[in-house]
Amino acid sequence: MIIKDELSGWLGAMNQYKQGGKGADRQFWLSVHTNQPVSVDRKSTDEPVIVARPFVSIVGGIQPEVLPDFGKDRGDGLIDRFIPVYPKPRVGRWTDDEVRDHVAEEYKHTISSLYRLCHANADEEDPFPSKVPMTSEAKAVFVAEYNRLHHELETPGFPQRLRPAWGKLEAYFARFALILAMTRIAELGNQGQVGIVERITREDMAGAVELLTYFKNHVRRVYTG
């Protein structure tokens, strides 16, 4: 995971250590998004480090004023790989509300359970993740929403700038469902339930639809605003 307070700085630092600023940082991040194998070759090591299935999450903030600079991606789709959260500003008021201790503890247990999940192949040289199937009801919801995304793309007058982002949302939609399913399974395990089958249910997919709708609205605000 990479956490940056200022994503504009992360973007501006790309290729700065390469002669002429013509490095391959952008290509690296573009390929990582699709889990393409990467090789890191450094002078301090005898052999390159090869990661067969890279997974990296990048989280950060950016001011609306410099957001256009982030979009200057030469059409390579780097910005379209991010899921923007751009809520309307709110004026805060003082509150004494706090997260209760038992809620924080349950959240900690859930994250710890997810962190302890094992790969389907435990071989450190070439680990790969387990597959989590959908129920037939969940797949029906997925197919309907998947087709709705493409129907929106085919609608006359659909903004051209949104097309690349919409193309990435179908994959994120599946990821939302997987996250919700595994979180639910982890919580059930923490409650002492046994024999839980790892699968994505209709309820998990319905939650993913709500998340997809939420993020679609924010994508529109960022790219067409």
Side-chain angles (χ1 to χ4, degrees), residues 130-136 138 178 181 197-201 204:
S130 302
K131 291 183 178 180
V132 180
M134 303 177 187
T135 64
S136 57
L178 178 62
V197 179
E198 290 188 356
R199 61 183 179 183
I200 297 172
T201 66
D204 299 324

Side-chain angles (χ1 to χ4, degrees), residues 21-103:
K22 297 181 180 180
D25 289 347
R26 294 183 71 97
Q27 287 71 24
F28 169 82
W29 291 114
L30 290 169
S31 63
V32 164
H33 181 267
T34 52
N35 310 125
Q36 297 298 312
V38 296
S39 175
V40 181
D41 193 2
R42 298 187 181 278
K43 294 181 179 179
S44 58
T45 58
D46 296 333
E47 297 180 355
V49 176
I50 298 176
V51 182
R53 297 176 179 85
F55 292 88
V56 184
S57 294
I58 304 174
V59 183
I62 190 169
Q63 290 80 15
E65 292 77 14
V66 297
L67 191 57
D69 295 336
F70 193 74
K72 295 176 181 177
D73 56 8
R74 299 189 295 269
D76 60 8
L78 181 62
I79 188 175
D80 300 316
R81 284 158 169 77
F82 283 83
I83 305 179
V85 179
Y86 193 178
K88 294 181 179 179
R90 293 181 58 188
V91 179
R93 296 290 188 271
W94 177 265
T95 177
D96 288 319
D97 292 342
E98 295 183 356
V99 177
R100 296 183 179 181
D101 292 341
H102 76 90
V103 175

Side-chain angles (χ1 to χ4, degrees), residues 155-170:
T155 302
F158 186 82
Q160 183 66 31
R161 185 62 191 92
L162 291 179
R163 291 183 178 276
W166 244 240
K168 302 293 187 299
L169 284 176
E170 61 189 40

Side-chain angles (χ1 to χ4, degrees), residues 8 12 21 26 88 94 110 112 132 138 143 152 155 167 173 192 195-196 217:
S8 57
R26 294 183 71 97
K88 294 181 179 179
W94 177 265
T110 298
S112 297
V132 180
V143 170
E152 292 172 349
T155 302
F173 177 38
I196 305 170
N217 291 331

